[in-house]
Structures are given as C-alpha cells and as structure tokens.
Amino acid sequence: MNKKLFVERVQNYIGGTWRDSANPEHVPVHNPATGELLGSVPMGSARDVDAAVAAAKAAFPAWRELTAQARARYLFALREKMEQHYDELLEICTEEHGKTLEESKGDVRRGVDNVEVACGMPTLMMNAGSVLDQIASGIDSTAIRQPMGVFAIIAPYNFPSMVPFWFLPYAIATGNTVVVKPSEQVPFSQVRLFQLLDEIGLPPGVVNMVHGARDVVNGILEHQDIAGVSFVGSSPVAEHVYARCGATQKRVQALGGAKNFGVVLDDCDWDKTVANVVDSSMGCAGQRCLALSVVIGVGKAYAELERRLPEALAKVKVGYGVEPGVTMGPVISARHKERVASYLEKGVAEGAKLVVDGRSLRVGAHPRGHFLGPSLFTGVRPEMTIAREEIFGPVLCLMQAKDLDEALRIVKAHPLANASSIFTSHGGHARRYCRDVDAAMVGVNIGVAAPMAYFGFGGAKGSFFGDLKAHGREQIQFYTQTKTSIVRWW
Ligand code: NAD
C-alpha cells in the first residue's frame, strides 16, 4: 500500500482551506482486504455544515457571474488533473473500498466521463433554454436557465470516486456552489479529488466537503440556505432525504437501493450470458446498485443455469484487489459481512437450496479481510426474504418461470426497480421486456445496465425519489431554474 496517498486524520475542505471538524469524534477507516489502518474520519456535525454552506453561499454571487465557458475551463483543468493522477485514484479506491484495480477503473473513469460531459456546459445550457420571437405583435420571449445557489451532494460507500462526480461537475458548471458529504466508510477518494480541485484554483467556496455521517446529512436536510440535494444510498435513507427536502422546500433527487432481476431465455448465447451474470452479480463483491441479484431462468433455461452457474462461480478468484488474477475483493466491513451471511441463513431457513456457499472461503494471506466467496441459491421463490430484500453482497438467487409472461410478472411485482436485464437472441422478446419492465435502466444481453455520462442515471418506483435523474442533460434541469422574459421594445 502506498501510505502517502492517505491522510491520517481526514479534514473538511471549506472555503478553500482544510479544517478540522467541529466534532472531535473520529472513527478509524481500515482497508477491508488487509485490515490495515488507513486513517480516521470525523463523524461531523451540523456546525461543520453551517460553515461549509456559509462559504458556498458567499462564493455563489461571483461564481454565477462568470461565463459558462469560464466555469467550464476549470473542468477542463480538472479533467487533466484526474488523468494525471488516474493510477493513484485507482489505488486509493481499491485500498479503501476493496474492489479490484480493474473495477476501480470503472469507478474513476466514470467520474472523468462526467467531468468531460460537463465541459460542454455552454452549449448544453444554451440548448436547455428556448426563444420565440413575435409571441404577440412586437413582443419576443426567451426562457433561460439560471443557477439556484448552494447544492449538497450525499454519497454511498460503493463507488467512492464516481458517485459525487455524477453531480459536482454539472452543479458547478451551471453556476452553483456545492457541499459534498462523502460516505464515512470511504472518505479518501474524495479527499484526493478535492486536493486536485484545490490545485486547479477554483475561487474559494465553490466546492466544499464535509465528512461525517447521519448528523451531517440531517444538518444538510434542515439547512435553510441549501437550494437542493443530490443523494445516493439505500432506499430508507433516500426516502427520508426526499421527505425532509419536501418539508424544508428543497429540490431533491434521491437515488435509492436496488434488487435487480435478470431474465434468461433459452435462446440466449449461453457462454456470454453466464459470463455476464457472474460478472454482474459478483463484481465489486455484489456491492453495485446495478448488480443482478436474482436471475430468472425461463422454461428450459432454468436447468441450464442450474448446471452452468456453479462451475462459473468456482472460477471467481477472491482476494486483495491489487493482486494479479484476483477478480473479486472483500465486502466493505465485518458488520456488512455478517449481514450478508445472515441472508444465507434466512434463505436456507425459508427453503431455498444453497448450492454454493461462500461462507467457508478463506484468503490465507489476508486473514483480517472481510472476504466472502460467491454464493448461489436455487429454487428461490418471489416471497422469500432473499428474493425481496437487497442483500448487497456476492449472493445470486436463481428462480424459475414457465414463460416470459410469468417472468415479467415476478419482476414487476417487486417494489424496487433500479436496473434489469434480459438475455435472449429473440428481438421481439427483448423489445417487449424493455418496454414493459419497470426498471429505469434496462440491459439486453448486458449484465450491468449502466447509462453513460450523457444519459440519465437512476431507477424507478422505490429505487428513486424525485423527477430528474443523475448525469448529463437532466442535471442541467435539476441544477437550474427557468426564467422567462417577455420583451417589447417601443
Ligand atoms: P446508506 O443509505 O447507508 O448511506 C448513504 C449516505 O447516507 C451516506 O453518506 C451515509 O452517511 C448517510 N446515511 C446513512 N444512514 C443515514 C441515516 N439514518 N440518516 C441520514 N443519513 C444517513 O447507503 P450505503 O450503505 O453507503 O450504500 C449502499 C446503498 O446505496 C445500497 O442500497 C445501494 O443500492 C445504494 N446505491 C444506489 C445507487 C443508485 O444509483 N440508485 C448507486 C449506488 C448505491
């Protein structure tokens, strides 16, 4: 591990300076693969939020006055910094989260992607407005989009580098100022990214970062000077964020949890489908909001999956994500490992068959790591806890349906609808699935249906609270409000 990439005691970044939290309570952060101490993170407080919002509020008037092009130039500089420090960012991501270096590439790269899209803000903002001359005799009308003030960004632990960057580049490029609250479980990627933000010379207060947990989130939700909140995390917290933002009159986009279903028809390309299902369910040790966690084998496809999956799962190599050949890292913490393991017990108790049990796996070189091997349940029914609740670990549930109608009924009955995939070579079945399924991110022969930075990212039903999704053009709408002028010259 490159110790130099970590700071011993994480500080907040407020008004262009690094400062200690007002709350002296710090908790240690360990590498989940090796158990090594990486540093400590403050638990934070509403006072930290007050200081950061005051700095962001003070910076807003001058920042909104800059041209969109001048603001975009900072993002061009940031993009260069991120490229220069790309390998470091991968290393930090793997060390603090546990995902493999290969998986960290996806995490860091998507952050860069969003910066690149936001670099086009002059044109994007121009296209988000509208003009019509002669709306009445001698009168023209224009609708422009204007920034609103201070936005807060609250992130989960599973993509330490990327998730805040689904929001930050768009929020500042449209002329707002921001306060970011990273996950307290993985603070270091954002610390490094804020060091890079510091180096590009943004005016103080345009970007701020407050570390901590629940008290910081609640401080944000109750703050009167915050115009809106972008949140990503579990559904119960997303719902709480959405409700409080409604009560305190803030804009909100709250992306919640997932229980993603894949449907496999027996006309699929079997080798590719199985590889996709394994990568999707086990990648990042199952801690992806786009992970397929239930796969429905339609008709004869069920038996084929039952036969092929154990063999494919046996090839997953679990270990420390910096080591060559490792394809799956640990889960984030001992507590989370226990939680995932408790679902294995529940599944067995409710009558599913645990044909691959990852609990016995040991990674000899790293006895303090929170490792679990892949697990596979067959004979899963929709009413079982393992089919209803988000497990967020390397556990795959296999279910059977007699036809596509039944598969669709099962998928649509679930209250969460983040992502879903179908594997088939039949265009008509694929089309029908894409149109009828409730999930808002749909893959055809793709296991991880991840929209690129220029397409909206976010789910539906209980997986998303709000209207406008993350990424791209929808962010411009979220971070700005329209002003319509009706103009007559005598
Ligand atoms: P989490 O909900 O526990 O935490 C998310 C954020 O909320 C963190 O910053 C945390 O400090 C804060 N928080 C936690 N509990 C809180 C509470 N009671 N009150 C106020 N704030 C609180 O989520 P997590 O465990 O960090 O991340 C995993 C979850 O995020 C999974 O459910 C996953 O599906 C979801 N997720 C969703 C998406 C998406 O695009 N929909 C993307 C990534 C992760």
Side-chain angles (χ1 to χ4, degrees), residues 276-288 291-293 295 309 313 328 393-396 447-448:
N276 264 263
V277 166
V278 169
D279 171 63
S280 177
S281 56
M282 300 299 146
C284 298
Q287 302 161 105
R288 272 199 290 228
L292 290 179
S293 65
V295 167
L309 282 171
L313 290 172
M328 183 169 105
V395 180
L396 179 58
V448 182

PDB file of all heavy atoms in Angstrom, residues 276-288 291-293 295 309 313 328 393-396 447-448:
ATOM      1  N   ASN A 276     -21.714 -12.878 -18.233  1.00  0.00           N
ATOM      2  CA  ASN A 276     -22.328 -11.596 -17.847  1.00  0.00           C
ATOM      3  C   ASN A 276     -23.010 -11.683 -16.485  1.00  0.00           C
ATOM      4  O   ASN A 276     -22.912 -10.775 -15.671  1.00  0.00           O
ATOM      5  CB  ASN A 276     -23.387 -11.196 -18.875  1.00  0.00           C
ATOM      6  CG  ASN A 276     -22.852 -10.252 -19.912  1.00  0.00           C
ATOM      7  OD1 ASN A 276     -23.011  -9.058 -19.794  1.00  0.00           O
ATOM      8  ND2 ASN A 276     -22.187 -10.785 -20.922  1.00  0.00           N
ATOM      9  N   VAL A 277     -23.722 -12.769 -16.268  1.00  0.00           N
ATOM     10  CA  VAL A 277     -24.457 -12.927 -15.000  1.00  0.00           C
ATOM     11  C   VAL A 277     -23.459 -13.009 -13.836  1.00  0.00           C
ATOM     12  O   VAL A 277     -23.651 -12.379 -12.790  1.00  0.00           O
ATOM     13  CB  VAL A 277     -25.369 -14.177 -15.055  1.00  0.00           C
ATOM     14  CG1 VAL A 277     -25.860 -14.558 -13.661  1.00  0.00           C
ATOM     15  CG2 VAL A 277     -26.545 -13.936 -16.001  1.00  0.00           C
ATOM     16  N   VAL A 278     -22.386 -13.746 -14.026  1.00  0.00           N
ATOM     17  CA  VAL A 278     -21.404 -13.896 -12.949  1.00  0.00           C
ATOM     18  C   VAL A 278     -20.723 -12.548 -12.678  1.00  0.00           C
ATOM     19  O   VAL A 278     -20.607 -12.110 -11.538  1.00  0.00           O
ATOM     20  CB  VAL A 278     -20.364 -14.993 -13.299  1.00  0.00           C
ATOM     21  CG1 VAL A 278     -19.192 -14.968 -12.320  1.00  0.00           C
ATOM     22  CG2 VAL A 278     -21.043 -16.361 -13.290  1.00  0.00           C
ATOM     23  N   ASP A 279     -20.322 -11.858 -13.734  1.00  0.00           N
ATOM     24  CA  ASP A 279     -19.669 -10.563 -13.534  1.00  0.00           C
ATOM     25  C   ASP A 279     -20.616  -9.581 -12.855  1.00  0.00           C
ATOM     26  O   ASP A 279     -20.235  -8.859 -11.935  1.00  0.00           O
ATOM     27  CB  ASP A 279     -19.194  -9.985 -14.880  1.00  0.00           C
ATOM     28  CG  ASP A 279     -18.724  -8.555 -14.689  1.00  0.00           C
ATOM     29  OD1 ASP A 279     -17.751  -8.371 -13.942  1.00  0.00           O
ATOM     30  OD2 ASP A 279     -19.354  -7.621 -15.231  1.00  0.00           O
ATOM     31  N   SER A 280     -21.878  -9.580 -13.298  1.00  0.00           N
ATOM     32  CA  SER A 280     -22.824  -8.628 -12.753  1.00  0.00           C
ATOM     33  C   SER A 280     -23.127  -8.903 -11.281  1.00  0.00           C
ATOM     34  O   SER A 280     -23.194  -7.986 -10.471  1.00  0.00           O
ATOM     35  CB  SER A 280     -24.116  -8.668 -13.569  1.00  0.00           C
ATOM     36  OG  SER A 280     -25.050  -7.806 -13.002  1.00  0.00           O
ATOM     37  N   SER A 281     -23.303 -10.173 -10.934  1.00  0.00           N
ATOM     38  CA  SER A 281     -23.705 -10.491  -9.563  1.00  0.00           C
ATOM     39  C   SER A 281     -22.528 -10.474  -8.588  1.00  0.00           C
ATOM     40  O   SER A 281     -22.708 -10.189  -7.404  1.00  0.00           O
ATOM     41  CB  SER A 281     -24.407 -11.853  -9.516  1.00  0.00           C
ATOM     42  OG  SER A 281     -23.570 -12.849 -10.073  1.00  0.00           O
ATOM     43  N   MET A 282     -21.320 -10.789  -9.087  1.00  0.00           N
ATOM     44  CA  MET A 282     -20.170 -10.904  -8.178  1.00  0.00           C
ATOM     45  C   MET A 282     -19.227  -9.707  -8.264  1.00  0.00           C
ATOM     46  O   MET A 282     -18.396  -9.511  -7.378  1.00  0.00           O
ATOM     47  CB  MET A 282     -19.381 -12.191  -8.490  1.00  0.00           C
ATOM     48  CG  MET A 282     -20.214 -13.446  -8.328  1.00  0.00           C
ATOM     49  SD  MET A 282     -20.812 -13.621  -6.622  1.00  0.00           S
ATOM     50  CE  MET A 282     -22.413 -14.388  -6.876  1.00  0.00           C
ATOM     51  N   GLY A 283     -19.296  -8.917  -9.322  1.00  0.00           N
ATOM     52  CA  GLY A 283     -18.424  -7.747  -9.468  1.00  0.00           C
ATOM     53  C   GLY A 283     -18.585  -6.835  -8.268  1.00  0.00           C
ATOM     54  O   GLY A 283     -19.692  -6.686  -7.733  1.00  0.00           O
ATOM     55  N   CYS A 284     -17.480  -6.237  -7.822  1.00  0.00           N
ATOM     56  CA  CYS A 284     -17.490  -5.380  -6.620  1.00  0.00           C
ATOM     57  C   CYS A 284     -18.102  -6.127  -5.433  1.00  0.00           C
ATOM     58  O   CYS A 284     -18.763  -5.526  -4.573  1.00  0.00           O
ATOM     59  CB  CYS A 284     -18.232  -4.067  -6.858  1.00  0.00           C
ATOM     60  SG  CYS A 284     -17.500  -3.053  -8.129  1.00  0.00           S
ATOM     61  N   ALA A 285     -17.930  -7.455  -5.421  1.00  0.00           N
ATOM     62  CA  ALA A 285     -18.474  -8.326  -4.367  1.00  0.00           C
ATOM     63  C   ALA A 285     -19.979  -8.100  -4.177  1.00  0.00           C
ATOM     64  O   ALA A 285     -20.491  -8.114  -3.051  1.00  0.00           O
ATOM     65  CB  ALA A 285     -17.702  -8.138  -3.058  1.00  0.00           C
ATOM     66  N   GLY A 286     -20.666  -7.899  -5.301  1.00  0.00           N
ATOM     67  CA  GLY A 286     -22.125  -7.736  -5.244  1.00  0.00           C
ATOM     68  C   GLY A 286     -22.576  -6.381  -4.727  1.00  0.00           C
ATOM     69  O   GLY A 286     -23.767  -6.143  -4.543  1.00  0.00           O
ATOM     70  N   GLN A 287     -21.627  -5.468  -4.506  1.00  0.00           N
ATOM     71  CA  GLN A 287     -21.993  -4.163  -3.920  1.00  0.00           C
ATOM     72  C   GLN A 287     -22.109  -3.091  -5.009  1.00  0.00           C
ATOM     73  O   GLN A 287     -21.458  -2.045  -4.947  1.00  0.00           O
ATOM     74  CB  GLN A 287     -20.949  -3.752  -2.877  1.00  0.00           C
ATOM     75  CG  GLN A 287     -20.799  -4.769  -1.761  1.00  0.00           C
ATOM     76  CD  GLN A 287     -19.500  -4.593  -1.017  1.00  0.00           C
ATOM     77  OE1 GLN A 287     -19.473  -4.083   0.091  1.00  0.00           O
ATOM     78  NE2 GLN A 287     -18.411  -4.990  -1.630  1.00  0.00           N
ATOM     79  N   ARG A 288     -22.907  -3.408  -6.021  1.00  0.00           N
ATOM     80  CA  ARG A 288     -23.177  -2.443  -7.096  1.00  0.00           C
ATOM     81  C   ARG A 288     -24.674  -2.257  -7.145  1.00  0.00           C
ATOM     82  O   ARG A 288     -25.417  -3.239  -7.086  1.00  0.00           O
ATOM     83  CB  ARG A 288     -22.735  -3.020  -8.451  1.00  0.00           C
ATOM     84  CG  ARG A 288     -21.309  -2.755  -8.806  1.00  0.00           C
ATOM     85  CD  ARG A 288     -21.027  -2.930 -10.293  1.00  0.00           C
ATOM     86  NE  ARG A 288     -21.084  -4.287 -10.725  1.00  0.00           N
ATOM     87  CZ  ARG A 288     -20.145  -4.886 -11.500  1.00  0.00           C
ATOM     88  NH1 ARG A 288     -19.087  -4.221 -11.890  1.00  0.00           N
ATOM     89  NH2 ARG A 288     -20.302  -6.120 -11.875  1.00  0.00           N
ATOM     90  N   ALA A 291     -26.023  -4.436  -9.778  1.00  0.00           N
ATOM     91  CA  ALA A 291     -25.754  -5.886  -9.742  1.00  0.00           C
ATOM     92  C   ALA A 291     -27.037  -6.667  -9.983  1.00  0.00           C
ATOM     93  O   ALA A 291     -28.089  -6.341  -9.419  1.00  0.00           O
ATOM     94  CB  ALA A 291     -25.187  -6.253  -8.381  1.00  0.00           C
ATOM     95  N   LEU A 292     -26.950  -7.714 -10.794  1.00  0.00           N
ATOM     96  CA  LEU A 292     -28.092  -8.631 -10.906  1.00  0.00           C
ATOM     97  C   LEU A 292     -28.044  -9.520  -9.674  1.00  0.00           C
ATOM     98  O   LEU A 292     -27.042 -10.205  -9.445  1.00  0.00           O
ATOM     99  CB  LEU A 292     -27.970  -9.488 -12.164  1.00  0.00           C
ATOM    100  CG  LEU A 292     -28.164  -8.757 -13.499  1.00  0.00           C
ATOM    101  CD1 LEU A 292     -27.983  -9.727 -14.657  1.00  0.00           C
ATOM    102  CD2 LEU A 292     -29.529  -8.080 -13.587  1.00  0.00           C
ATOM    103  N   SER A 293     -29.109  -9.500  -8.880  1.00  0.00           N
ATOM    104  CA  SER A 293     -29.045 -10.353  -7.687  1.00  0.00           C
ATOM    105  C   SER A 293     -30.040 -11.510  -7.763  1.00  0.00           C
ATOM    106  O   SER A 293     -29.934 -12.464  -7.009  1.00  0.00           O
ATOM    107  CB  SER A 293     -29.235  -9.535  -6.419  1.00  0.00           C
ATOM    108  OG  SER A 293     -30.517  -8.999  -6.389  1.00  0.00           O
ATOM    109  N   VAL A 295     -31.751 -14.059 -10.765  1.00  0.00           N
ATOM    110  CA  VAL A 295     -31.834 -14.402 -12.184  1.00  0.00           C
ATOM    111  C   VAL A 295     -32.961 -15.409 -12.368  1.00  0.00           C
ATOM    112  O   VAL A 295     -33.052 -16.394 -11.619  1.00  0.00           O
ATOM    113  CB  VAL A 295     -30.484 -14.962 -12.689  1.00  0.00           C
ATOM    114  CG1 VAL A 295     -30.638 -15.598 -14.046  1.00  0.00           C
ATOM    115  CG2 VAL A 295     -29.479 -13.823 -12.785  1.00  0.00           C
ATOM    116  N   LEU A 309     -24.001 -22.378 -13.668  1.00  0.00           N
ATOM    117  CA  LEU A 309     -23.553 -21.324 -12.747  1.00  0.00           C
ATOM    118  C   LEU A 309     -22.540 -21.799 -11.680  1.00  0.00           C
ATOM    119  O   LEU A 309     -21.531 -21.108 -11.456  1.00  0.00           O
ATOM    120  CB  LEU A 309     -24.756 -20.631 -12.085  1.00  0.00           C
ATOM    121  CG  LEU A 309     -25.472 -19.622 -12.983  1.00  0.00           C
ATOM    122  CD1 LEU A 309     -26.778 -19.141 -12.344  1.00  0.00           C
ATOM    123  CD2 LEU A 309     -24.567 -18.407 -13.275  1.00  0.00           C
ATOM    124  N   LEU A 313     -19.044 -19.920 -11.178  1.00  0.00           N
ATOM    125  CA  LEU A 313     -18.754 -19.209  -9.924  1.00  0.00           C
ATOM    126  C   LEU A 313     -17.468 -19.737  -9.278  1.00  0.00           C
ATOM    127  O   LEU A 313     -16.759 -18.993  -8.593  1.00  0.00           O
ATOM    128  CB  LEU A 313     -19.931 -19.346  -8.947  1.00  0.00           C
ATOM    129  CG  LEU A 313     -21.197 -18.581  -9.352  1.00  0.00           C
ATOM    130  CD1 LEU A 313     -22.364 -18.921  -8.438  1.00  0.00           C
ATOM    131  CD2 LEU A 313     -20.969 -17.066  -9.339  1.00  0.00           C
ATOM    132  N   MET A 328     -12.432 -10.780  -7.480  1.00  0.00           N
ATOM    133  CA  MET A 328     -13.433 -10.261  -6.534  1.00  0.00           C
ATOM    134  C   MET A 328     -12.775  -9.960  -5.185  1.00  0.00           C
ATOM    135  O   MET A 328     -12.036 -10.793  -4.653  1.00  0.00           O
ATOM    136  CB  MET A 328     -14.551 -11.282  -6.341  1.00  0.00           C
ATOM    137  CG  MET A 328     -15.660 -10.798  -5.439  1.00  0.00           C
ATOM    138  SD  MET A 328     -17.087 -11.903  -5.512  1.00  0.00           S
ATOM    139  CE  MET A 328     -16.930 -12.735  -3.961  1.00  0.00           C
ATOM    140  N   GLY A 393     -24.363  -8.098  -1.557  1.00  0.00           N
ATOM    141  CA  GLY A 393     -23.179  -8.926  -1.356  1.00  0.00           C
ATOM    142  C   GLY A 393     -23.120  -9.970  -2.462  1.00  0.00           C
ATOM    143  O   GLY A 393     -24.010 -10.023  -3.327  1.00  0.00           O
ATOM    144  N   PRO A 394     -22.084 -10.845  -2.455  1.00  0.00           N
ATOM    145  CA  PRO A 394     -21.890 -11.795  -3.558  1.00  0.00           C
ATOM    146  C   PRO A 394     -22.810 -13.020  -3.460  1.00  0.00           C
ATOM    147  O   PRO A 394     -22.344 -14.142  -3.271  1.00  0.00           O
ATOM    148  CB  PRO A 394     -20.421 -12.180  -3.419  1.00  0.00           C
ATOM    149  CG  PRO A 394     -20.122 -12.001  -1.961  1.00  0.00           C
ATOM    150  CD  PRO A 394     -20.999 -10.897  -1.457  1.00  0.00           C
ATOM    151  N   VAL A 395     -24.101 -12.768  -3.563  1.00  0.00           N
ATOM    152  CA  VAL A 395     -25.108 -13.830  -3.435  1.00  0.00           C
ATOM    153  C   VAL A 395     -26.040 -13.752  -4.643  1.00  0.00           C
ATOM    154  O   VAL A 395     -26.638 -12.708  -4.886  1.00  0.00           O
ATOM    155  CB  VAL A 395     -25.947 -13.641  -2.150  1.00  0.00           C
ATOM    156  CG1 VAL A 395     -26.985 -14.753  -2.020  1.00  0.00           C
ATOM    157  CG2 VAL A 395     -25.050 -13.580  -0.922  1.00  0.00           C
ATOM    158  N   LEU A 396     -26.149 -14.845  -5.363  1.00  0.00           N
ATOM    159  CA  LEU A 396     -27.020 -14.874  -6.539  1.00  0.00           C
ATOM    160  C   LEU A 396     -28.185 -15.832  -6.273  1.00  0.00           C
ATOM    161  O   LEU A 396     -27.982 -16.951  -5.787  1.00  0.00           O
ATOM    162  CB  LEU A 396     -26.208 -15.335  -7.760  1.00  0.00           C
ATOM    163  CG  LEU A 396     -26.946 -15.445  -9.094  1.00  0.00           C
ATOM    164  CD1 LEU A 396     -27.575 -14.110  -9.503  1.00  0.00           C
ATOM    165  CD2 LEU A 396     -25.983 -15.906 -10.197  1.00  0.00           C
ATOM    166  N   GLY A 447     -25.089  -7.341 -18.632  1.00  0.00           N
ATOM    167  CA  GLY A 447     -25.351  -7.663 -17.227  1.00  0.00           C
ATOM    168  C   GLY A 447     -25.396  -6.454 -16.310  1.00  0.00           C
ATOM    169  O   GLY A 447     -26.079  -6.450 -15.293  1.00  0.00           O
ATOM    170  N   VAL A 448     -24.636  -5.424 -16.654  1.00  0.00           N
ATOM    171  CA  VAL A 448     -24.620  -4.211 -15.827  1.00  0.00           C
ATOM    172  C   VAL A 448     -25.114  -3.070 -16.717  1.00  0.00           C
ATOM    173  O   VAL A 448     -24.348  -2.510 -17.506  1.00  0.00           O
ATOM    174  CB  VAL A 448     -23.195  -3.912 -15.296  1.00  0.00           C
ATOM    175  CG1 VAL A 448     -23.197  -2.692 -14.393  1.00  0.00           C
ATOM    176  CG2 VAL A 448     -22.631  -5.119 -14.550  1.00  0.00           C
TER     177      VAL A 448
END
